[in-house]
């Protein structure tokens, strides 16, 4: 158990809908990272937050947004969903802010868009 | 831009035999290099990391990796494979920074599926 929790485990929704994925980092970690894992794209970095502020942005679509709250949990919002958004979404956390330390991954949320 | 190549989608090895999972990278400057493992229906787990110094890095579960700067490679190795090592292995890279307030994103390879045959 990495200490990172993600909810829900599975999410099934329809095209055009909006969903929110939630992540609680490991105790003491200030950075939260979001990744998308799909068969065709592999593991893609989406965005990083450190202590409530956005630190780095990767291949995140404009339809997607994230935030980190004062209690350090984070939410990833996906809107106007398309079939291609179906994927496994991972949250990870680490102590540092530079992105170069060991990251602890949650179990992921599997999103299916029908 | 940084990139990672894992040239083998799948590696099969007999239990008890040595295993190697290959990784090459491209990054500006010196790299930090990582190996992560993903078991079925689980998140990724950190195995080891190269920062600087000794080119042979020892990690969790008996794994080690050898950094070769001239070949820009960071191959994962284990002297004797176990059936329980069967999983998906990811190599990742990030450029090393000496200072600065910036943040870099970890770039992962496509992954290599390791199957250890009893």
């Amino acid at each position: 158990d990495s200490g990172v929790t993600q909810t829900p485990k599975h999410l099934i929704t329809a095209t055009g809908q909006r969903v929110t994925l939630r992540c609680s980092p490991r105790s003491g970690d200030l950075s939260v990272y979001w990744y998308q894992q799909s068969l065709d794209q592999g593991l893609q970095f989406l965005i990083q937050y450190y202590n409530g502020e956005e630190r780095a942005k990767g291949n995140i679509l404009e339809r997607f947004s994230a935030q980190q709250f004062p209690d350090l949990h984070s939410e990833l919002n996906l809107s106007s969903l398309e079939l291609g958004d179906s994927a496994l979404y991972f949250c990870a956390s680490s102590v540092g802010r530079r992105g170069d330390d060991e990251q602890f991954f949650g179990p992921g949320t599997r999103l299916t868009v029908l | 831009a940084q990139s990672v190549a894992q040239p083998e989608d799948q590696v099969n090895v007999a239990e008890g035999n040595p295993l190697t999972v290959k990784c090459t990278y491209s990054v500006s400057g010196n790299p930090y290099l990582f190996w992560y493992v993903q078991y079925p229906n689980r998140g990724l787990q950190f195995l080891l990391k190269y920062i600087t110094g000794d080119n042979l890095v020892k990690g969790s579960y008996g794994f080690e990796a050898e950094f070769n700067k001239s070949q820009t490679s960071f191959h994962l190795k284990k002297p004797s494979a176990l059936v329980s090592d069967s999983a998906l292995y990811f190599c990742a890279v990030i450029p090393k920074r000496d200072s600065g307030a910036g943040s870099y994103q970890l770039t992962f390879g496509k992954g290599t599926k390791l199957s250890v045959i009893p």
Side-chain angles (χ1 to χ4, degrees):
Chain A
D1 184 5
S2 67
V4 178
T5 60
Q6 289 187 249
T7 56
K9 284 184 111 173
H10 302 277
L11 202 47
I12 302 174
T13 188
T15 54
Q17 295 298 305
R18 173 190 168 94
V19 297
T20 297
L21 313 184
R22 183 188 167 100
C23 168
S24 292
R26 213 171 55 123
S27 177
D29 286 355
L30 298 179
S31 271
V32 169
Y33 310 81
W34 286 98
Y35 293 90
Q36 180 193 59
Q37 186 179 34
S38 61
L39 282 175
D40 53 345
Q41 295 292 324
L43 195 59
Q44 299 267 321
F45 168 76
L46 296 178
I47 197 164
Q48 176 200 358
Y49 279 83
Y50 177 82
N51 205 20
E53 293 189 4
E54 183 183 305
R55 286 285 298 175
K57 218 167 186 176
N59 301 320
I60 188 166
L61 300 172
E62 285 191 13
R63 301 184 284 108
F64 295 1
S65 64
Q67 53 184 327
Q68 186 180 28
F69 295 86
D71 67 352
L72 301 178
H73 92 271
S74 178
E75 292 181 356
L76 179 67
N77 300 296
L78 316 176
S79 61
S80 303
L81 285 167
E82 302 174 359
L83 295 178
D85 298 327
S86 295
L88 199 49
Y89 291 85
F90 286 109
C91 164
S93 71
S94 74
V95 172
R97 64 181 179 181
R98 301 198 327 176
D100 56 6
D101 54 349
E102 176 184 349
Q103 296 182 21
F104 295 85
F105 282 75
T109 293
R110 183 170 295 280
L111 174 66
T112 303
V113 182
L114 301 175
Chain B
Q2 62 221 46
S3 65
V4 175
Q6 293 182 242
E8 300 154 318
D9 290 336
Q10 174 138 4
V11 170
N12 297 321
V13 63
E15 187 177 22
N17 282 3
L19 69 87
T20 299
V21 182
K22 296 179 181 176
C23 169
T24 59
Y25 66 90
S26 174
V27 68
S28 298
N30 294 316
Y32 285 145
L33 293 157
F34 300 79
W35 276 101
Y36 283 83
V37 60
Q38 184 179 25
Y39 297 101
N41 302 312
R42 303 279 295 275
L44 277 70
Q45 293 179 33
F46 172 83
L47 277 180
L48 51 80
K49 170 183 176 181
Y50 171 80
I51 303 174
T52 188
D54 194 349
N55 289 344
L56 188 63
V57 180
K58 293 192 182 298
S60 307
Y61 313 120
F63 284 93
E64 57 190 26
E66 186 168 12
F67 172 64
N68 187 318
K69 188 171 183 178
S70 63
Q71 297 185 3
T72 60
S73 67
F74 190 56
H75 301 332
L76 182 70
K77 299 181 181 185
K78 188 173 182 182
S80 179
L82 301 172
V83 172
S84 57
D85 292 331
S86 299
L88 192 56
Y89 289 81
F90 291 93
C91 181
V93 68
I94 201 165
K96 186 188 296 185
R97 289 183 61 116
D98 294 323
S99 62
S103 181
Y104 282 96
Q105 53 186 275
L106 203 54
T107 298
F108 286 88
K110 292 284 190 184
T112 298
K113 183 178 179 182
L114 174 68
S115 293
V116 181
I117 303 157

